[in-house]
Amino acid sequence: MTPFTYARAENAADALRLGQANATAYLGGGTNLVDLIRETVARPMALVDVTGLSGEIEETEGGGLMIGAAVRNTALAEHLVVRTRYPVLSRAILAGASAQIRNMATVGGNLLQRTRCTYFYDTDGSRCNKRAPGSGCDAIEGLTRGHAILGASSACVATHPSDMCVALAALDAIVHLHGRGGARTLPFTELHRLPGDHPEFDTVLEPGELITAIELPPLRFAANSTYRKVRDRASYAFALASIAAALEIEGGIIKDVRIALGGVAHKPWRASKAEAALRGGPATEEAFLAAAVAEMADAAPLRDNGFKLALTKRTLVAVLGDLAGAAA
């Protein structure tokens, strides 16, 4: 293990001051970063503990929620407003990891967790462009059952591991950031990058930039939302495919909809094509299937993960059917 220094930040300004040095990493709950350091995938020279940032969940004037970066995942999932107004978020968090990990993991850290691709973690025997830029990607010709069918590239086919992030993508969340240039906000769907030729960059964050909060906008129909995760075993497994969705129906017609996919792409995948196909149309199984087909039209399955195409379509149709029934 590479030796490193440790400092605890009292607030965002202190964290930014401490985090400006090269090879510095921000430490929240450590549920992913500690693993990466242990496996020598990450080699930070300094750790800045940011658990002193806001751990509050507060309602905004407009009726949304402001969630501090240091809020623990368990606290967010159990919050009454989240469970009633944004149930998709609560269910997504509860679908991820174990209770012990959720008790430790922070919201800000969850957004920045790295892929669980086995080739990424295999520092001794596998080439990985995400871990070692320019080295190649052994995953493409390897076992690809859990890899991406959307948004991948010839440099990387890894999937994003977070359940919570899929829900946040569907909810039009806003990321609050602080960096050298001051404070800024970013739509959640623009936070994570597709791999392209540089999969080593997971997000668009600038060096030393810090996530301070996540904002959920008021979205009335998000009360009719859910998250469904398909995985190899019932607990503590990453998604083969997952759906976060919210649906609003009036008179049998879809007035509005939000959909995001997990387990199938390099980033939480906002299903904008499916949403466009559904808005203003009938809330029928045929319409749901047509929307699923439209969203997956550009999917590029690999040797071992072609089943994800049909699995994602079927799961999306089932989730929308359940939400339509609840709305009725």
Side-chain angles (χ1 to χ4, degrees), residues 2-280:
T2 304
F4 55 84
T5 62
Y6 170 88
R8 181 179 173 84
E10 298 299 324
N11 50 46
D14 195 27
L16 287 174
R17 178 182 62 81
L18 293 167
Q20 294 309 305
N22 292 331
T24 297
Y26 292 123
L27 176 69
T31 55
N32 183 215
L33 180 58
V34 171
D35 285 344
L36 293 171
I37 294 173
R38 184 185 297 118
E39 298 295 330
T40 67
V41 176
R43 298 173 181 266
M45 300 301 295
L47 293 180
V48 176
D49 188 328
V50 293
T51 53
L53 297 180
S54 172
E56 301 296 321
I57 303 174
E58 301 176 332
E59 293 194 55
T60 62
E61 290 185 4
L65 276 186
M66 188 69 72
I67 304 161
V71 170
R72 303 290 178 173
N73 284 11
T74 295
L76 183 59
E78 294 179 349
H79 195 277
L80 179 60
V81 174
V82 175
R83 289 191 291 114
T84 54
R85 297 187 196 170
Y86 308 95
V88 61
L89 179 56
S90 179
R91 292 170 185 171
I93 295 170
L94 293 174
S98 65
Q100 293 89 340
I101 289 177
R102 294 195 298 268
N103 289 343
M104 285 296 297
T106 62
V107 170
N110 190 297
L111 270 60
L112 299 180
Q113 64 180 298
R114 307 204 72 189
T115 182
R116 296 320 197 275
C117 174
T118 54
Y119 299 92
F120 173 70
Y121 274 85
D122 182 14
T123 57
D124 293 326
S126 297
R127 298 176 303 156
C128 173
N129 289 316
K130 182 175 282 293
R131 171 172 34 82
S135 63
C137 177
D138 281 343
I140 293 176
E141 298 299 328
L143 180 62
T144 56
R145 185 171 183 273
H147 288 75
I149 61 174
L150 290 168
S153 73
S154 59
C156 184
V157 294
T159 55
H160 194 274
S162 174
D163 295 289
M164 185 183 79
C165 287
V166 182
L168 292 175
L171 290 171
D172 292 327
I174 299 167
V175 185
H176 288 249
L177 305 167
H178 276 73
R180 297 171 184 172
R184 67 172 177 137
T185 60
L186 188 70
F188 184 84
T189 52
E190 297 179 13
L191 174 65
H192 298 95
R193 299 177 71 257
L194 291 177
D197 294 328
H198 292 282
E200 68 272 24
F201 299 117
D202 293 332
T203 72
V204 298
L205 295 185
E206 298 170 357
E209 197 165 28
L210 178 68
I211 296 173
T212 56
I214 302 296
E215 182 180 355
L216 298 182
L219 194 64
R220 181 178 55 83
F221 72 94
N224 185 38
S225 64
T226 195
Y227 182 76
R228 184 170 300 180
K229 178 178 183 179
V230 183
R231 46 190 164 177
D232 282 327
R233 57 184 185 271
S235 65
Y236 203 41
F238 296 102
L240 293 170
S242 65
I243 308 291
L247 190 63
E248 182 179 23
I249 297 175
E250 287 187 1
I253 299 299
I254 298 171
K255 184 177 180 181
D256 210 346
V257 60
R258 299 287 189 278
I259 303 170
L261 312 179
V264 294
H266 196 78
K267 60 180 284 186
W269 188 267
R270 182 65 178 265
S272 56
K273 292 181 181 178
E275 292 178 357
L278 288 167
R279 287 191 184 96

Side-chain angles (χ1 to χ4, degrees), residues 296-309:
M296 305 305 290
D298 295 328
L302 299 166
R303 183 190 63 204
D304 305 314
N305 65 3
F307 71 94
K308 286 191 175 188
L309 187 58

